[in-house]
Amino acid sequence: MKPLLAAILTGLFLVSCSAEPGPVDASDGKEQSWTIAEATIFPADRGLQRAEDGVQLDDGTLIVADQRHGLVKVASDGSFEPFGNFAAVGYGQEPAGVVPGPNGVHLEPDGKHVVVADVFTGRIYRTDIEAGTTELVYAHPFGANTAISDSTGAVWFTQSTENQGEERLFVAVDKAMDDGAVYRLSAAEDGRLASEPQLVVDGLNFANGFYLDETNGKFYLSETMANRVLVFTLDVAAGTLSDRKVLAEVPSPDNMRLAPDGSLWVASPASNQVIAIDTDTGATRVVFDAQTEAGAKSVQEWLRRSAAGESAADLLNPEVQGEMPGLLTGIIIGREDQPFYVSNLGNALVKVER
């Protein structure tokens, strides 16, 4: 294994950048925030594998990405089992040398299905929660980071870079490349998806997690290597994005969710924090903090190297990761009366009681 790739895999994932972000404001005490010291490892036996993202159902059950099975279902007591029968649609039987990497996990608007994107193989899956069955929606030529269905049935997804497999992905993690994109698979009246996607936005520096806010007509997107969260005007009926703006500057933004209070929560692997963004003003604050002393210094070095166009992936190491089970990548948010979970590339989630 090449030294750079080994260093990245040891640190467990993500990010290099091309523009220096502004500082993230710490909580001023008027809003709630939590630290890793207030959280618990979940499940306690750490039996997951690459728990990158997931969703929380109304009864508290979690459906989480798992590299062995595609998805696992995790009960409130921490017990878990494979979910979705991914093997029936060829999961784990990808081309030789391509290891699967289930990544973004999102509920469909009906709350009855989950859409999963594979960042290594480019496959996009749709799982029926009640039936526990999965269908292959589309196989993209390059890795698909995150996929989300809108109310018309169309599926939007991000391509982080032109990779097939993990090694090429980590090349784009180390230094910014502008081959990231947003695509959309339109849906016919009978629900069938188009055989080929429409390119909506290209030229992105590692397009990562995103969020469709149909109520307010907004599309939020993490452009990881540019260290910024973008916002577009969303027209679901037309399937278009317009009026592109920078909502906030955040170090290495990854997965995101809209919190019950209306703020946009964004995972920041490089800073080992979850950042809340005011979607009206772009103001930021830390809502979950697992940053170590070494990590705080590393972020500054990261920004320096980013501005200089230097390699920075080696800065993602166990010292930065701290007490997290793996490199921080996302947030699983349910109702306001439920705990939230911080996802990562390790073997467990981090559970935070509100």
Side-chain angles (χ1 to χ4, degrees):
M1 182 177 290
K2 296 180 180 180
L4 174 58
L5 179 58
I8 296 170
L9 293 176
T10 299
L12 270 174
F13 196 50
L14 251 161
V15 114
S16 175
C17 30
S18 64
E20 180 171 347
V24 174
D25 298 331
S27 173
D28 60 6
K30 297 180 182 179
E31 302 283 353
Q32 274 192 294
S33 63
W34 299 265
T35 69
I36 186 72
E38 300 170 275
T40 56
I41 299 298
F42 183 85
D45 63 1
R46 298 175 179 256
L48 307 182
Q49 185 170 311
R50 198 179 185 277
E52 206 274 349
D53 196 20
V55 297
Q56 184 171 190
L57 306 182
D58 284 342
D59 65 359
T61 299
L62 302 177
I63 299 176
V64 181
D66 186 272
Q67 195 165 36
R68 295 161 302 183
H69 309 295
L71 290 174
V72 293
K73 182 166 65 174
V74 187
S76 56
D77 64 1
S79 60
F80 61 91
E81 60 184 357
F83 184 70
N85 191 17
F86 275 63
V89 290
Y91 184 83
Q93 302 169 31
E94 286 77 12
V98 179
V99 177
N103 210 69
V105 181
H106 283 264
L107 281 170
E108 288 196 333
D110 65 7
K112 298 179 180 179
H113 299 85
V114 170
V115 178
V116 183
D118 193 308
V119 75
F120 296 153
T121 70
R123 297 184 179 187
I124 299 174
Y125 304 94
R126 182 173 185 258
T127 300
D128 184 310
I129 296 174
E130 183 177 354
T133 57
T134 297
E135 61 177 317
L136 178 63
V137 170
Y138 173 67
H140 192 55
F142 305 114
N145 187 297
T146 300
I148 301 178
S149 297
D150 66 26
S151 60
T152 73
V155 175
W156 303 69
F157 67 93
T158 47
Q159 169 192 297
S160 294
T161 186
E162 293 182 350
N163 72 295
Q164 180 63 214
E166 61 180 335
E167 185 166 355
R168 172 58 177 76
L169 180 77
F170 291 129
V171 172
V173 167
D174 188 48
K175 287 188 177 181
M177 303 176 71
D178 63 356
D179 57 354
V182 177
Y183 288 90
R184 176 180 177 270
L185 287 161
S186 61
E189 290 186 6
D190 62 2
R192 287 186 299 176
L193 292 172
S195 58
E196 294 294 332
Q198 167 199 1
L199 175 63
V200 183
V201 181
D202 62 0
L204 298 168
N205 292 318
F206 209 96
N208 204 319
F210 65 97
Y211 189 86
L212 294 171
D213 182 0
E214 293 194 40
T215 300
N216 296 301
K218 298 295 181 183
F219 183 104
Y220 302 105
L221 171 68
S222 287
E223 190 178 10
T224 302
M225 300 318 188
N227 294 313
R228 61 192 180 188
V229 174
L230 303 177
V231 58
F232 300 80
T233 296
L234 168 68
D235 187 330
V236 170
T240 60
L241 301 178
S242 60
D243 193 27
R244 169 177 169 167
K245 296 177 181 176
V246 176
L247 175 65
E249 294 179 325
V250 173
S252 68
D254 200 320
N255 293 331
M256 57 175 63
R257 291 293 193 279
L258 203 65
D261 66 0
S263 62
L264 186 69
W265 286 21
V266 182
S268 171
S271 65
N272 212 24
Q273 296 171 325
V274 177
I275 310 301
I277 305 174
D278 185 311
T279 56
D280 292 324
T281 67
T284 60
R285 64 185 182 89
V286 177
V287 288
F288 175 79
D289 194 353
Q291 191 176 86
T292 63
E293 183 177 348
K297 295 177 181 178
S298 178
V299 170
Q300 297 307 311
E301 175 62 9
W302 189 301
L303 298 179
R304 186 198 68 76
R305 293 191 195 181
S306 300
E310 299 175 5
S311 174
D314 63 294
L315 296 173
L316 296 177
N317 52 58
E319 286 187 333
V320 173
Q321 181 180 305
E323 297 180 43
M324 289 291 298
L327 198 68
L328 189 155
T329 57
I331 328 95
I332 302 172
I333 302 177
R335 298 190 311 269
E336 198 164 13
D337 62 338
Q338 293 178 316
F340 70 86
Y341 299 81
V342 183
S343 58
N344 57 87
L345 296 184
N347 55 16
L349 302 169
V350 171
K351 181 179 181 180
V352 182
E353 297 285 356
R354 296 176 190 265

